[in-house]
Each structure stands twice: as C-alpha cells, then as structure tokens.
C-alpha cells in the first residue's frame, strides 16, 4: 500500500480551480465534513407484504413509509457501512472532492485501513479512439497500479477501494 503513497497524494491531495491563479491548494486545507442521503429521496424498496399493506394507506402515509428519505448521515459513516456506493450530485457539489478525500484517508490508513485505494478519473479516458475493451475495469486498474500480480491479489482478497470519478462524462456505450 505504501508504494502508492505518492500516486494517491499527487492525484488526490490537491484541489484545482480555473478561477484562481494561486491554485492548486491542499485538499486538507479546504475539505469540510460531507453529508449524504443514504437513499434517493424518491426511492423505496418494499417487499410484497409491505407493498400490499401500503395499498390501504393514504397518499400522505405512503410518502412517509420510508423514514430514511430525509435522514442525512455523515458520508464517511456511509462509506464504512456500505460496500458499494453511487454518489449523485449536481456539478460543483463536491463529488470529486469527496472521492479524493476518501482516497487520501484510505491511503493514510485513517479510513478503511485494510484497503488500497485506486482513484480513476474517467473523463481522462473518454477519447473516442478508445474501444470498449480498453475500458474494462481490470485493465484500468492494472494500468493504475502497474503491477498485475499485486492487482490480482487485491482483487481476490477484496482489498481494493475503487473510486470512479466522472462516470457521467463517458459515453453510454462505455458505461
């Protein structure tokens, strides 16, 4: 894990701005605690008995069936709790910054210390000359870590924290 310290620090340790000439600045200097909704506010997953029971509720009662829809929680807590997350947000809402923060904290063993973070900026790979095969995740990870044997070990052991940034910036065929 330590062999990738410089890579993660260079990829994730700085914020860049097209508005300021004094940038990039240290992420540690500007990062603030992030909160997330654990579920999409309109999303509900009900089992058949719950669905049948809800049919007798008024529209107001049905909207309130999912108490989590307005509950926010610290994003780091959600990362520690869930094995897979998909973070949605408007441009400029901090998605990339949060992923960078996760990578740094993981690399520094302050969060998910048993994992090795891999931060992939997908927008850098969206060129039309690439084929779908070149975008296979294992291929991208292999290029990032530059050590196929170590990558295989990490994948087999479930020891990777894979952070994909900019999924919305690649074409639908490559998603």
């Amino acid at each position: 894990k330590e062999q990738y310290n410089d890579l993660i620090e260079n990829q994730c340790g700085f914020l860049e701005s097209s508005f300021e000439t004094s940038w990039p600045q240290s992420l540690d200097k500007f990062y603030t605690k992030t909160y997330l909704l654990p579920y999409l506010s309109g999303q509900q997953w009900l089992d058949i008995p719950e669905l049948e029971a809800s049919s007798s509720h008024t529209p107001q009662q049905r909207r309130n069936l999912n108490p989590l829809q307005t509950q926010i929680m610290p994003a780091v807590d959600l990362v520690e709790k869930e094995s897979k997350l998909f973070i949605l947000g408007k441009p400029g809402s901090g998605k990339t910054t949060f992923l960078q923060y996760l990578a740094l904290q993981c690399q520094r063993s302050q969060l998910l210390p048993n994992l090795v973070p891999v931060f992939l900026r997908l927008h850098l790979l969206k060129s039309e000359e690439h084929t779908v095969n070149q975008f296979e995740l294992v291929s991208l990870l292999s290029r990032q870590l530059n050590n196929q044997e170590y990558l295989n070990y990490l994948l087999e052991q479930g020891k990777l924290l894979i952070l994909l940034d900019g999924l919305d910036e690649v074409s639908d065929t490559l998603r």
Side-chain angles (χ1 to χ4, degrees), residues 106-120:
C106 182
Q107 186 63 34
R108 295 170 180 168
S109 296
Q110 295 172 355
L111 174 72
L112 306 170
N114 296 326
L115 300 182
V116 174
V118 177
F119 182 82
L120 297 171

Side-chain angles (χ1 to χ4, degrees), residues 32-172:
T32 60
K33 194 170 187 179
T34 303
Y35 292 87
L36 298 173
L37 287 169
Y39 303 96
L40 294 175
S41 57
Q43 180 183 22
Q44 292 189 50
W45 298 104
L46 300 175
D47 294 327
I48 298 296
E50 294 170 316
L51 188 58
E52 289 171 344
S54 73
S55 65
S56 63
H57 291 115
T58 66
Q60 177 64 36
Q61 289 172 317
R62 272 188 236 126
R63 279 192 293 275
N64 294 328
L65 281 175
N66 186 356
L68 295 173
Q69 71 188 55
T70 57
Q71 176 187 346
I72 63 169
M73 64 187 299
V76 171
D77 292 352
L78 196 56
V79 168
E80 290 176 325
K81 178 182 169 192
E82 303 291 340
S83 64
K84 297 177 186 115
L85 290 175
F86 189 83
I87 300 173
L88 299 174
K90 293 185 178 190
S93 63
K95 300 177 300 294
T96 297
T97 303
F98 179 62
L99 293 178
Q100 289 175 293
Y101 175 79
L102 290 178
L104 285 171
Q105 295 305 301
C106 182
Q107 186 63 34
R108 295 170 180 168
S109 296
Q110 295 172 355
L111 174 72
L112 306 170
N114 296 326
L115 300 182
V116 174
V118 177
F119 182 82
L120 297 171
R121 293 180 188 268
L122 297 179
H123 74 274
L124 298 175
L125 308 170
K126 68 180 181 179
S127 173
E128 294 300 321
E129 71 246 11
H130 290 102
T131 65
V132 173
N133 290 339
Q134 289 175 308
F135 281 94
E136 292 177 8
L137 185 57
V138 174
S139 174
L140 293 174
L141 294 170
S142 179
R143 279 189 267 158
Q144 182 79 12
L145 293 178
N146 201 24
N147 183 334
Q148 186 66 47
E149 187 176 317
Y150 185 52
L151 172 62
N152 291 341
Y153 167 78
L154 292 172
L155 288 170
E156 289 169 7
Q157 299 299 311
K159 298 289 185 186
L160 277 178
L161 175 62
I162 303 171
L163 303 163
L164 303 175
D165 182 44
L167 186 60
D168 61 325
E169 299 178 36
V170 296
S171 68
D172 290 340

